[in-house]
PDB file of all heavy atoms in Angstrom:
ATOM      1  N   ASP A 546      78.012  27.346 -12.218  1.00  0.00           N
ATOM      2  CA  ASP A 546      78.929  27.480 -11.256  1.00  0.00           C
ATOM      3  C   ASP A 546      78.831  26.413 -10.151  1.00  0.00           C
ATOM      4  O   ASP A 546      79.547  26.511  -9.117  1.00  0.00           O
ATOM      5  CB  ASP A 546      78.776  28.885 -10.513  1.00  0.00           C
ATOM      6  CG  ASP A 546      77.313  29.033  -9.899  1.00  0.00           C
ATOM      7  OD1 ASP A 546      76.441  28.307 -10.318  1.00  0.00           O
ATOM      8  OD2 ASP A 546      77.189  29.891  -9.175  1.00  0.00           O
ATOM      9  N   GLN A 547      77.982  25.487 -10.258  1.00  0.00           N
ATOM     10  CA  GLN A 547      77.846  24.405  -9.289  1.00  0.00           C
ATOM     11  C   GLN A 547      77.269  23.145  -9.923  1.00  0.00           C
ATOM     12  O   GLN A 547      76.557  23.339 -10.945  1.00  0.00           O
ATOM     13  CB  GLN A 547      77.010  24.884  -8.126  1.00  0.00           C
ATOM     14  CG  GLN A 547      75.621  25.367  -8.544  1.00  0.00           C
ATOM     15  CD  GLN A 547      74.843  25.844  -7.401  1.00  0.00           C
ATOM     16  OE1 GLN A 547      74.737  25.279  -6.331  1.00  0.00           O
ATOM     17  NE2 GLN A 547      74.309  27.104  -7.471  1.00  0.00           N
ATOM     18  N   PRO A 548      77.474  22.017  -9.411  1.00  0.00           N
ATOM     19  CA  PRO A 548      76.915  20.795 -10.023  1.00  0.00           C
ATOM     20  C   PRO A 548      75.430  20.766  -9.829  1.00  0.00           C
ATOM     21  O   PRO A 548      74.847  21.291  -8.878  1.00  0.00           O
ATOM     22  CB  PRO A 548      77.564  19.749  -9.217  1.00  0.00           C
ATOM     23  CG  PRO A 548      78.048  20.304  -7.947  1.00  0.00           C
ATOM     24  CD  PRO A 548      78.284  21.855  -8.220  1.00  0.00           C
ATOM     25  N   ALA A 549      74.811  20.070 -10.694  1.00  0.00           N
ATOM     26  CA  ALA A 549      73.329  19.975 -10.615  1.00  0.00           C
ATOM     27  C   ALA A 549      72.876  19.101  -9.348  1.00  0.00           C
ATOM     28  O   ALA A 549      73.566  18.061  -9.082  1.00  0.00           O
ATOM     29  CB  ALA A 549      72.848  19.223 -11.888  1.00  0.00           C
ATOM     30  N   ALA A 550      71.903  19.556  -8.678  1.00  0.00           N
ATOM     31  CA  ALA A 550      71.388  18.792  -7.628  1.00  0.00           C
ATOM     32  C   ALA A 550      70.382  17.690  -8.092  1.00  0.00           C
ATOM     33  O   ALA A 550      69.543  17.992  -8.932  1.00  0.00           O
ATOM     34  CB  ALA A 550      70.594  19.742  -6.728  1.00  0.00           C
ATOM     35  N   LEU A 551      70.715  16.577  -7.666  1.00  0.00           N
ATOM     36  CA  LEU A 551      69.828  15.418  -8.048  1.00  0.00           C
ATOM     37  C   LEU A 551      68.680  14.970  -7.088  1.00  0.00           C
ATOM     38  O   LEU A 551      67.842  14.245  -7.475  1.00  0.00           O
ATOM     39  CB  LEU A 551      70.763  14.119  -8.267  1.00  0.00           C
ATOM     40  CG  LEU A 551      71.903  14.446  -9.305  1.00  0.00           C
ATOM     41  CD1 LEU A 551      72.723  13.068  -9.341  1.00  0.00           C
ATOM     42  CD2 LEU A 551      71.371  14.849 -10.595  1.00  0.00           C
ATOM     43  N   ALA A 552      68.723  15.591  -5.910  1.00  0.00           N
ATOM     44  CA  ALA A 552      67.708  15.241  -4.934  1.00  0.00           C
ATOM     45  C   ALA A 552      66.368  16.033  -5.368  1.00  0.00           C
ATOM     46  O   ALA A 552      66.385  17.134  -5.920  1.00  0.00           O
ATOM     47  CB  ALA A 552      68.122  15.647  -3.590  1.00  0.00           C
ATOM     48  N   PRO A 553      65.208  15.353  -5.053  1.00  0.00           N
ATOM     49  CA  PRO A 553      63.927  16.024  -5.251  1.00  0.00           C
ATOM     50  C   PRO A 553      63.814  17.258  -4.453  1.00  0.00           C
ATOM     51  O   PRO A 553      64.325  17.340  -3.389  1.00  0.00           O
ATOM     52  CB  PRO A 553      62.902  15.009  -4.937  1.00  0.00           C
ATOM     53  CG  PRO A 553      63.593  14.087  -3.979  1.00  0.00           C
ATOM     54  CD  PRO A 553      65.067  14.035  -4.460  1.00  0.00           C
ATOM     55  N   GLN A 554      63.055  18.279  -5.013  1.00  0.00           N
ATOM     56  CA  GLN A 554      62.885  19.515  -4.345  1.00  0.00           C
ATOM     57  C   GLN A 554      61.869  19.314  -3.214  1.00  0.00           C
ATOM     58  O   GLN A 554      60.969  18.618  -3.234  1.00  0.00           O
ATOM     59  CB  GLN A 554      62.295  20.548  -5.346  1.00  0.00           C
ATOM     60  CG  GLN A 554      63.275  20.962  -6.452  1.00  0.00           C
ATOM     61  CD  GLN A 554      64.515  21.486  -5.901  1.00  0.00           C
ATOM     62  OE1 GLN A 554      64.601  22.120  -4.810  1.00  0.00           O
ATOM     63  NE2 GLN A 554      65.697  21.245  -6.593  1.00  0.00           N
ATOM     64  N   PRO A 555      62.125  19.947  -2.145  1.00  0.00           N
ATOM     65  CA  PRO A 555      61.288  19.843  -0.865  1.00  0.00           C
ATOM     66  C   PRO A 555      60.005  20.393  -1.085  1.00  0.00           C
ATOM     67  O   PRO A 555      59.775  21.332  -1.885  1.00  0.00           O
ATOM     68  CB  PRO A 555      62.154  20.670   0.190  1.00  0.00           C
ATOM     69  CG  PRO A 555      62.943  21.557  -0.544  1.00  0.00           C
ATOM     70  CD  PRO A 555      63.234  20.956  -1.778  1.00  0.00           C
ATOM     71  N   GLN A 556      58.954  19.864  -0.356  1.00  0.00           N
ATOM     72  CA  GLN A 556      57.569  20.242  -0.472  1.00  0.00           C
ATOM     73  C   GLN A 556      57.073  20.546   0.979  1.00  0.00           C
ATOM     74  O   GLN A 556      57.752  20.474   1.922  1.00  0.00           O
ATOM     75  CB  GLN A 556      56.730  19.099  -1.147  1.00  0.00           C
ATOM     76  CG  GLN A 556      57.165  18.932  -2.547  1.00  0.00           C
ATOM     77  CD  GLN A 556      56.915  20.118  -3.552  1.00  0.00           C
ATOM     78  OE1 GLN A 556      55.814  20.656  -3.412  1.00  0.00           O
ATOM     79  NE2 GLN A 556      57.798  20.429  -4.401  1.00  0.00           N
ATOM     80  N   LEU A 557      55.838  20.922   1.006  1.00  0.00           N
ATOM     81  CA  LEU A 557      55.093  21.199   2.253  1.00  0.00           C
ATOM     82  C   LEU A 557      55.252  19.889   3.235  1.00  0.00           C
ATOM     83  O   LEU A 557      55.224  20.051   4.426  1.00  0.00           O
ATOM     84  CB  LEU A 557      53.714  21.676   2.137  1.00  0.00           C
ATOM     85  CG  LEU A 557      53.565  23.153   1.847  1.00  0.00           C
ATOM     86  CD1 LEU A 557      52.048  23.496   1.599  1.00  0.00           C
ATOM     87  CD2 LEU A 557      54.084  24.032   2.941  1.00  0.00           C
ATOM     88  N   ALA A 558      55.119  18.853   2.579  1.00  0.00           N
ATOM     89  CA  ALA A 558      55.122  17.549   3.327  1.00  0.00           C
ATOM     90  C   ALA A 558      56.384  17.335   4.095  1.00  0.00           C
ATOM     91  O   ALA A 558      56.525  16.602   5.058  1.00  0.00           O
ATOM     92  CB  ALA A 558      54.696  16.351   2.513  1.00  0.00           C
ATOM     93  N   ASP A 559      57.478  17.986   3.647  1.00  0.00           N
ATOM     94  CA  ASP A 559      58.786  17.970   4.314  1.00  0.00           C
ATOM     95  C   ASP A 559      58.974  18.964   5.427  1.00  0.00           C
ATOM     96  O   ASP A 559      60.060  18.909   6.030  1.00  0.00           O
ATOM     97  CB  ASP A 559      59.905  18.108   3.229  1.00  0.00           C
ATOM     98  CG  ASP A 559      59.770  17.127   2.148  1.00  0.00           C
ATOM     99  OD1 ASP A 559      59.780  15.957   2.467  1.00  0.00           O
ATOM    100  OD2 ASP A 559      59.746  17.548   0.923  1.00  0.00           O
ATOM    101  N   LEU A 560      57.959  19.754   5.673  1.00  0.00           N
ATOM    102  CA  LEU A 560      58.112  20.745   6.776  1.00  0.00           C
ATOM    103  C   LEU A 560      58.387  20.041   8.248  1.00  0.00           C
ATOM    104  O   LEU A 560      59.156  20.579   8.993  1.00  0.00           O
ATOM    105  CB  LEU A 560      56.844  21.690   6.890  1.00  0.00           C
ATOM    106  CG  LEU A 560      56.842  22.837   5.927  1.00  0.00           C
ATOM    107  CD1 LEU A 560      55.558  23.600   6.101  1.00  0.00           C
ATOM    108  CD2 LEU A 560      58.112  23.680   5.992  1.00  0.00           C
ATOM    109  N   PRO A 561      57.657  18.927   8.632  1.00  0.00           N
ATOM    110  CA  PRO A 561      57.939  18.362   9.884  1.00  0.00           C
ATOM    111  C   PRO A 561      59.356  17.999  10.032  1.00  0.00           C
ATOM    112  O   PRO A 561      59.972  18.141  11.107  1.00  0.00           O
ATOM    113  CB  PRO A 561      57.042  17.095   9.901  1.00  0.00           C
ATOM    114  CG  PRO A 561      55.835  17.557   9.048  1.00  0.00           C
ATOM    115  CD  PRO A 561      56.486  18.302   7.893  1.00  0.00           C
ATOM    116  N   ALA A 562      59.937  17.498   8.880  1.00  0.00           N
ATOM    117  CA  ALA A 562      61.512  17.146   9.041  1.00  0.00           C
ATOM    118  C   ALA A 562      62.318  18.444   9.231  1.00  0.00           C
ATOM    119  O   ALA A 562      63.221  18.387  10.065  1.00  0.00           O
ATOM    120  CB  ALA A 562      61.861  16.368   7.763  1.00  0.00           C
ATOM    121  N   LEU A 563      61.957  19.457   8.641  1.00  0.00           N
ATOM    122  CA  LEU A 563      62.652  20.643   8.710  1.00  0.00           C
ATOM    123  C   LEU A 563      62.487  21.299  10.160  1.00  0.00           C
ATOM    124  O   LEU A 563      63.496  21.812  10.741  1.00  0.00           O
ATOM    125  CB  LEU A 563      62.165  21.741   7.697  1.00  0.00           C
ATOM    126  CG  LEU A 563      62.721  23.142   7.729  1.00  0.00           C
ATOM    127  CD1 LEU A 563      64.249  23.134   7.431  1.00  0.00           C
ATOM    128  CD2 LEU A 563      61.952  24.119   6.741  1.00  0.00           C
TER     129      LEU A 563
END
Side-chain angles (χ1 to χ4, degrees):
D546 58 343
Q547 55 183 309
L551 301 179
Q554 296 300 329
Q556 296 293 317
L557 276 178
D559 299 308
L560 278 182
L563 177 64

